[in-house]
């Protein structure tokens, strides 16, 4: 792993964002809009607070955490798409750049985007709705870390699919993560899902994080079990998805797809 | 006096099949240090697939690629550090300026003295007036110069050039050819060159490898190939082989 190759890719994307207002807007616009809409819905539903205890606290918290996962995934996939749109993949993969260095650079971009989005959403929630995301307490750190890793897993998986099936699959960059939303139990507890779907949700690390978040906010109990499940599942899935990425890249090189992926 | 020199690039029985279609069929050739080898052939002859395999972008079905005596399949990183390419058909990121694109390439290859190197290449390719321009605003000729600048910036030992002068006016194309010849003489650069301009191929190439339907059908100096096919010039040879390909494909 050579740091100069990773930083070269990071600089390439920072140059891109430096003079592209639409790209910067893309990072902040949707999370901000989400927060505004769901914030008002939350305020409205808060009138029924006695019937729905803790509703406001975990609804906005869940929204912020979900956006962190979403942006982590986008940080990976959109970085790849930028190369595809610029028809730059051939320049990159005909250089000494290794696939692992490419992945690390996309992860670095993802961290920058997630950091920016988290700060903006947390500040807006505080200013507009007097909601302090830090009330989740010390658990917030491990929750965010695990959600970001889950976002990366979905991001690398989606990137592999786009590499394999070409530009026509690019819609997956925005839609894939929503396939995971119903089984992530972002806004409702796992127990409301039908039994068969609960089994599927159980192997989704994000579901354990959101369950854990609700446990902290409603009962104040330490969600060690949920966190352990999330860490374990993320570990297994990271190994699986990196293996999948390498396999897909080898397949694309064999079929000549890597040089045609932007066509 | 004659003596053997180790080739910088040696291709042995290189084959690439995509399902039932054979794009490159048992091709063998080599490039010696400081040599310009022309890769010639009609569309679909397998030139681009060959170059893509040499750059590690496409995995060969069989055969061997050795660069600087190293196997490309096991020494990809070391080899590609000393190789670069330019193609009329590949663009650089459009939203970056010319200079930013060169900075990224320089960092990617871990070059030292970045600013001086970039200045030198910009001067060499007469790019001063558009070095701060966003790439999408360049003319096609300026874009080609940027692609070449990217290729020579890293001071490669082997350069793969796929129709490098295709979109240039005759004056700039002539300057580029002169520059490449200078690079070849001054730094011992070896070049694999493709073009559909036969005059250019004759002028540039020390030797030519002629591909037809994925197979190597002729190899030698331009004059030797012309003589072998009993034609008057390289263009006649090209037309003869290209038409044979077309007839064979349609039958």
């Amino acid at each position: 792993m050579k740091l100069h190759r990773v930083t070269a890719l990071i600089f390439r994307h920072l140059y891109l964002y430096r003079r592209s207002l639409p790209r910067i807007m893309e990072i902040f616009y949707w999370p901000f809009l989400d927060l505004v809409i769901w914030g008002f819905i939350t305020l409205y539903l808060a009138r029924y607070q006695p019937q729905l205890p803790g509703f406001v606290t975990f609804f906005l918290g869940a929204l912020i955490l979900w956006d962190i996962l979403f942006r982590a995934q986008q940080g990976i996939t959109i970085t790849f798409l930028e190369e595809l749109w610029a028809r730059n993949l051939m320049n990159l993969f005909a250089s000494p750049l290794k696939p692992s260095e490419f992945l690390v650079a996309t992860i670095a971009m993802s961290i920058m985007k997630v950091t920016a989005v988290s700060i903006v959403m947390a500040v807006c929630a505080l200013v507009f709705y007097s909601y302090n995301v830090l009330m989740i307490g010390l658990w917030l750190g491990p929750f965010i870390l695990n959600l970001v890793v889950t976002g990366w897993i979905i991001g690398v998986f989606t990137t592999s699919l786009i590499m394999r099936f070409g530009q026509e699959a690019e819609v997956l960059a925005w839609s894939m993560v929503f396939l995971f939303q119903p089984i992530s139990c972002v806004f409702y507890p796992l127990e409301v899902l039908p039994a068969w779907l609960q089994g599927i949700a159980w192997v989704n690390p994000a579901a354990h994080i959101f369950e854990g978040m609700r446990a902290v906010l409603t009962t104040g109990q330490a969600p060690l079990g949920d966190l352990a499940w999330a860490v374990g599942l993320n570990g297994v899935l990271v190994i699986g998805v990196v293996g999948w990425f390498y396999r897909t890249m080898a397949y694309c090189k064999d079929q000549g797809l890597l040089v045609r992926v932007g066509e | 006096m004659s003596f053997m020199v180790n080739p910088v690039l040696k291709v042995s029985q290189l084959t690439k099949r995509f399902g039932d279609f054979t794009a490159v069929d048992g091709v063998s050739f080599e490039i010696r240090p400081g040599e310009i080898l022309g890769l010639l052939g009609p569309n679909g002859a397998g030139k681009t697939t060959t170059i893509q395999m040499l750059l590690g972008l496409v995995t060969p079905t069989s055969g061997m690629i050795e660069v600087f005596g190293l196997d490309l399949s096991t020494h990809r990183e070391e080899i590609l550090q000393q190789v670069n390419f330019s193609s009329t058909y590949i663009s650089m990121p459009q939203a970056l300026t010319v200079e930013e694109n060169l900075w990224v390439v320089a960092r990617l290859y871990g070059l030292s003295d970045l600013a001086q190197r970039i200045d030198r290449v910009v001067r060499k390719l007469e790019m001063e007036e558009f070095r701060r321009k966003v790439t999408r605003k360049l003319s096609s000729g300026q874009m080609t110069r940027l692609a070449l600048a990217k290729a020579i910036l890293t001071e490669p030992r082997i350069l793969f050039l796929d129709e490098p002068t295709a979109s240039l006016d005759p004056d700039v194309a002539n300057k580029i050819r002169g520059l490449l010849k200078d690079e070849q003489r001054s730094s011992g650069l070896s070049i694999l060159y493709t073009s559909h301009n036969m005059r250019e191929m004759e002028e540039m190439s020390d030797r030519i490898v002629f591909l037809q339907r994925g197979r190597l059908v002729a190899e030698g100096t331009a004059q030797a190939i012309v003589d072998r096919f009993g034609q008057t010039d390289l263009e006649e040879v090209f037309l003869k082989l290209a038409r044979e390909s077309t007839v064979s494909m349609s039958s």
Side-chain angles (χ1 to χ4, degrees), chain B residues 174-227:
Chain B
N174 184 265
K175 282 180 184 167
I176 295 294
R177 285 194 293 271
L179 182 133
L180 289 170
K181 282 277 190 188
D182 284 348
E183 288 286 318
Q184 179 209 16
R185 277 191 290 266
S186 63
S187 63
L189 175 67
S190 306
I191 300 176
L192 183 70
Y193 200 94
T194 81
S195 172
H196 283 133
N197 180 338
M198 296 304 121
R199 244 185 73 192
E200 183 172 281
M201 286 301 263
E202 283 174 335
E203 181 193 329
M204 290 295 291
S205 311
D206 299 312
R207 278 187 312 125
I208 287 172
V209 163
F210 214 118
L211 297 183
Q212 185 191 28
R213 278 175 284 145
R215 290 194 178 155
L216 194 153
V217 291
E219 185 179 0
T221 61
Q223 192 55 52
I225 290 176
V226 169
D227 293 343

Side-chain angles (χ1 to χ4, degrees), chain B residues 68-80:
Chain B
F68 318 123
L70 302 170
D71 182 350
L72 179 65
S73 64
T74 51
H75 294 81
R76 179 190 169 277
E77 192 187 338
E78 294 155 78
I79 291 170
L80 292 180

Side-chain angles (χ1 to χ4, degrees), chain A:
Chain A
M1 174 94 43
K2 290 278 197 302
L3 191 62
H4 63 80
R5 296 201 281 257
V6 175
T7 54
L9 270 189
I10 295 171
F11 270 100
R12 176 254 185 279
H13 287 277
L14 291 180
Y15 285 143
L16 191 65
Y17 280 87
R18 193 165 69 172
R19 68 170 69 85
S20 176
L21 189 62
R23 283 184 175 88
I24 294 169
M25 289 275 292
E26 207 272 332
I27 298 177
F28 299 111
Y29 178 77
W30 294 112
F32 178 73
L33 216 63
D34 266 353
L35 193 72
V36 169
I37 291 168
W38 287 100
F40 285 128
I41 292 171
T42 306
L43 287 183
Y44 169 66
L45 292 173
R47 291 177 192 174
Y48 302 95
Q49 181 90 5
Q51 288 91 338
L52 295 164
F55 187 84
V56 176
T57 33
F58 63 65
F59 210 78
L60 277 178
L63 179 74
I64 292 171
L65 292 183
W66 172 253
D67 246 278
I68 286 173
L69 184 152
F70 185 35
R71 295 298 138 184
Q73 175 261 320
Q74 292 249 298
I76 302 274
T77 319
I78 301 292
T79 303
F80 175 79
L81 277 178
E82 290 285 5
E83 302 299 359
L84 190 147
W85 292 328
R87 299 170 71 88
N88 195 37
L89 286 170
M90 194 165 160
N91 288 323
L92 294 181
F93 289 116
S95 80
L97 183 77
K98 291 179 185 170
S100 57
E101 291 160 348
F102 179 79
L103 278 182
V104 170
T106 60
I107 284 171
M109 287 307 297
S110 170
I111 291 172
M112 286 184 219
K113 286 184 184 180
V114 165
T115 307
V117 165
S118 307
I119 292 170
V120 167
M121 287 193 83
V123 169
C124 288
L126 190 65
V127 171
F128 297 131
Y129 307 109
S130 304
Y131 177 79
N132 185 359
V133 72
L134 296 176
M135 75 168 71
I136 297 173
L138 287 175
W139 294 104
L140 189 63
F143 285 165
I144 288 179
L145 197 65
N146 272 282
L147 282 176
V148 166
V149 173
T150 308
W152 292 342
I153 291 166
I154 301 171
V156 174
F157 179 67
T158 311
T159 298
S160 305
L161 289 177
I162 297 170
M163 200 175 358
R164 166 68 183 79
F165 294 104
Q167 208 155 357
E168 61 194 33
E170 74 176 48
V171 68
L172 294 175
W174 291 272
S175 58
M176 177 62 83
V177 74
F178 290 103
L179 195 67
F180 290 83
Q181 196 178 34
I183 53 164
S184 293
C185 304
V186 183
F187 302 111
Y188 43 78
L190 186 78
E191 68 198 35
V192 305
L193 296 179
W196 64 273
L197 205 53
Q198 282 187 31
I200 296 172
W202 199 251
V203 293
N204 175 10
H208 295 279
I209 295 299
F210 287 106
E211 282 291 292
M213 183 204 71
R214 275 185 291 272
V216 170
L217 291 175
T218 53
T219 66
Q221 284 177 349
L224 284 174
D226 288 312
L227 202 57
W229 268 104
V231 171
L233 285 169
N234 269 334
V236 171
L237 291 172
V238 161
I239 294 167
V241 86
V242 170
W244 163 264
F245 178 80
Y246 273 86
R247 261 186 82 124
T248 306
M249 182 155 259
Y251 177 81
C252 290
K253 280 188 175 185
D254 182 59
Q255 296 296 308
L257 298 174
L258 199 60
V259 287
R260 293 205 300 264
V261 74
E263 291 173 1

